[in-house]
Amino acid sequence: MDGGSGRLIQKSVKIAAGAVVCVESEIRGDVTIGSRTVVHPKARIIAEAGPIVIGEGNLIEEQAFIINSYPENLVPQKEDIEPKPMTIGTNNVFEVGCHFEALKIGDNNVIESKAYIGRNVILTSGCIIGACCHVNSCEVIPENTVIYGVDCMRRVQSERPQPQTLQLDFLMKILPNYHHLKKTVKGCSTPIKS
C-alpha cells in the first residue's frame, strides 16, 4: 500500500527468457527486462516514479545506475502523481559507472563510462555519450549524435554504432559460470516453477 493514499503499488521484476541478470545486481520496483539483455553484477536499476521497460539485447555493465526517479521539486507523498514509465529500446550499452535518468532512449546507443544523462533528455537512436560527459538539458538529442570531450562537444556520425552482438554472446556464456543468475519469467501468466 502507498503511504496514506490507499493505492496498491505493484513492485515486480520481470525477466524475459534469454536474459542474463546477475543476482549481485540491484533491481527495485516495477522493472521489465527483455530477452538477450545482460545485467552485470553491481548494476543498479531502480523504478521509483514509474515502471522501467528495458528492450532486447541491452548491455548494462558494472556500477551502471539506471533510475526512474521523481523530479527534485516533486514530493510523491504530497499529491497523486501519475507514474511516468521509462522506456529503453534495443541494443543499447550502459558502460561502467554511468548514471542514466532519461525517460526515453531509442536503439543502438552507447552511454560510456561515468557519463550522466538527466531526466529531461530524450535520447533518439545511434547516439554515443562520451566518457564523463554530463547531459542534463531539456532536449531531444538528434539521431547519430556523438557527445564527447571535456566541453561535451557534439558532432553527427554518418552511421550508427554496431550492436554489441559478439560481446553479448560471450557474456551470456561466461557470466553463468561465475555468477548466480536471477530467475526468468517464461510468460506473464505462467508462475515460475522451482
Side-chain angles (χ1 to χ4, degrees):
M1 289 278 214
D2 191 358
S5 72
R7 291 185 303 168
L8 185 66
I9 298 179
Q10 178 187 5
K11 303 284 185 194
S12 65
V13 176
K14 294 177 262 335
I15 302 170
V20 174
V21 180
C22 294
V23 167
E24 296 96 337
S25 62
E26 178 185 353
I27 303 175
R28 284 190 288 157
D30 188 0
V31 178
T32 303
I33 299 174
S35 65
R36 293 190 47 77
T37 289
V38 174
V39 181
H40 281 252
K42 303 300 181 196
R44 297 175 61 206
I45 303 170
I46 313 294
E48 287 178 351
I52 298 176
V53 179
I54 301 173
E56 296 182 2
N58 290 291
L59 175 56
I60 302 170
E61 294 183 354
E62 293 91 348
Q63 297 180 353
F65 184 47
I66 298 172
I67 183 167
N68 184 357
S69 63
Y70 294 102
E72 292 175 12
N73 59 351
L74 211 57
V75 181
Q77 292 84 5
K78 197 172 179 183
E79 57 207 55
D80 280 338
I81 299 165
E82 189 69 29
K84 293 192 175 185
M86 173 187 282
T87 307
I88 296 173
T90 60
N91 299 319
N92 295 295
V93 178
F94 296 86
E95 291 187 359
V96 174
C98 71
H99 184 110
F100 186 82
E101 296 183 12
L103 294 179
K104 183 154 178 45
I105 177 174
D107 305 326
N108 299 313
N109 295 290
V110 178
I111 316 301
E112 291 186 354
S113 297
K114 304 283 185 178
Y116 174 87
I117 309 294
R119 180 178 169 84
N120 296 317
V121 176
I122 295 177
L123 208 53
T124 55
S125 294
C127 299
I128 299 175
I129 309 301
C132 298
C133 287
H134 188 95
V135 182
N136 197 21
S137 51
C138 186
E139 67 176 310
V140 176
I141 307 292
E143 288 200 6
N144 299 337
T145 297
V146 179
I147 299 177
Y148 62 98
V150 178
D151 299 322
C152 293
M153 297 184 296
R154 297 176 185 216
R155 69 176 181 82
V156 176
Q157 59 186 350
S158 56
E159 53 190 52
R160 292 183 180 186
Q162 292 297 313
Q164 298 292 320
T165 313
L166 292 174
Q167 187 176 5
L168 280 174
D169 290 341
F170 175 75
L171 289 168
M172 291 173 85
K173 288 178 187 170
I174 295 300
L175 282 175
N177 295 336
Y178 300 99
H179 297 280
H180 295 288
L181 303 180
K182 294 188 179 189
K183 291 193 188 306
T184 61
V185 177
K186 300 241 187 307
C188 317
S189 59
T190 308
I192 298 174
K193 295 180 181 173
S194 47

